[in-house]
Every structure is written in structure tokens, then in C-alpha cells.
Amino acid sequence: METTPLQTVDNMFAVQTTNGKVNMRIEAKVMEHYEKDTGSIDAFPKGLAVYGYTEEGLLETIIVSDDARHYVSKKKEAEETWSAFGNVIIHNIPKQETMETDTLYWDQSKKEIYTDCYVKMYSPQGFMQGYGMRSDDHAKNAILHRPFDSYGRAAEEAE
């Protein structure tokens, strides 16, 4: 039974709101729900797109991946983690930053996204690459760990 989904949803579209304002929107071609002895898993084998919004309701962050998992443990202090795999792209719209990696984790309780994999980051300030990244869950304060072969653009002053 643990290898057969208890529920399958095609063309999933979910919206999370607070006081009538959209916080997050999730879209997936397929979601499969599994129950295991240790917890429940929502699998997104055909990809996942997550859209994060500011308190004012403006689109701030887009995260897309080829595959994803959402795990909730059955322990007293339930652990809840999201994992995204394959061609993960994180785009912060206000900062015009785009990050690409192979694997990304989201810890909802800490409100943090992170990876220990290779990361490429593009922004108006330049290009960076390295192994490992930590940021808040809206990708506003990304810190790239173990950077190498990066370059920056010099600021231009308007006259």
C-alpha cells in the first residue's frame, strides 16, 4: 500500500491566503498523496511551480522544478519539509535575481530555503556560482557558499 498513491490530483492549483490576501500559489500537473508509517508524502513527479507574494499582494518569488516532494512526519513535533529536484529555478522579481540548482530544500518552520549543491546566480550586479546556498523563503537574502569564478558589474553613476 505504501507504494500506491491514496490520492492523485491532475492539474492541481492551490492558493494559500491570510486575511484575504494571497501568500502563496502552487501549481502542478500531477500530485500523488502517499501515507507511510513515518508520515505522509505529497509527490509532484511532473514538476511543481510555487509563487510567493509580498504582504501587499505583489508577486515576489517564483520557484519551479521538474520534481518535488512535501513530507509531514507523524511525530509529536511534526516536521514539515519541501524538496525540489531537477532544473530548480528560483527567481526573486524585485531584486531581479535568478538562481539555478539541481536540488532545493524548504524548511517551513525556519522559513528558509537551502541547498548544498552547485548554484548559479544571475543578477544585475553580476554572475556568481558556488556550492551551497541559504536564504529566507522568499529568496530575498540569498547567501552563496563556497563561491568560485564569479564576476560583478561596476556601478554606473548617472550624470
Side-chain angles (χ1 to χ4, degrees):
M1 283 299 290
E2 289 189 358
T3 59
T4 303
L6 295 177
Q7 179 184 29
T8 300
V9 178
D10 291 329
N11 298 314
M12 187 190 90
F13 181 87
V15 177
Q16 180 185 42
T17 62
T18 302
N19 297 327
K21 292 188 179 179
V22 176
N23 294 339
M24 183 173 44
R25 188 176 90 228
I26 299 173
E27 297 178 13
K29 289 181 183 177
V30 175
M31 183 202 77
E32 299 171 343
H33 181 77
Y34 298 87
E35 286 292 332
K36 305 211 180 257
D37 291 339
T38 57
S40 65
I41 298 171
D42 293 321
F44 304 91
K46 294 189 178 181
L48 180 70
V50 179
Y51 303 87
Y53 294 84
T54 64
E55 291 180 9
E56 295 80 29
L58 300 173
L59 183 61
E60 180 175 38
T61 308
I62 302 170
I63 300 174
V64 295
S65 67
D66 292 344
D67 190 0
R69 302 273 185 279
H70 175 227
Y71 174 75
V72 180
S73 74
K74 290 185 178 178
K75 297 178 183 177
K76 285 184 181 181
E77 295 179 20
E79 298 171 3
E80 186 173 0
T81 56
W82 287 82
S83 308
F85 309 100
N87 299 311
V88 180
I89 299 172
I90 307 122
H91 184 64
N92 181 284
I93 294 167
K95 292 180 80 175
Q96 298 177 352
E97 285 182 350
T98 300
M99 290 178 272
E100 298 175 8
T101 188
D102 185 61
T103 304
L104 183 72
Y105 301 101
W106 175 31
D107 186 329
Q108 277 191 287
S109 62
K110 293 181 181 177
K111 297 187 182 286
E112 176 184 55
I113 59 173
Y114 60 94
T115 186
D116 292 322
C117 296
Y118 172 69
V119 178
K120 293 189 287 187
M121 184 165 84
Y122 307 90
S123 74
Q125 290 76 37
F127 169 78
M128 292 182 69
Q129 59 185 337
Y131 289 96
M133 181 274 304
R134 299 283 182 277
S135 180
D136 62 291
D137 59 357
H138 283 265
K140 290 189 277 191
N141 302 304
I143 297 172
L144 199 61
H145 298 285
R146 295 180 17 220
F148 64 93
D149 293 342
S150 302
Y151 66 85
R153 294 193 179 114
E156 296 179 21
E157 286 189 34
E159 292 184 28

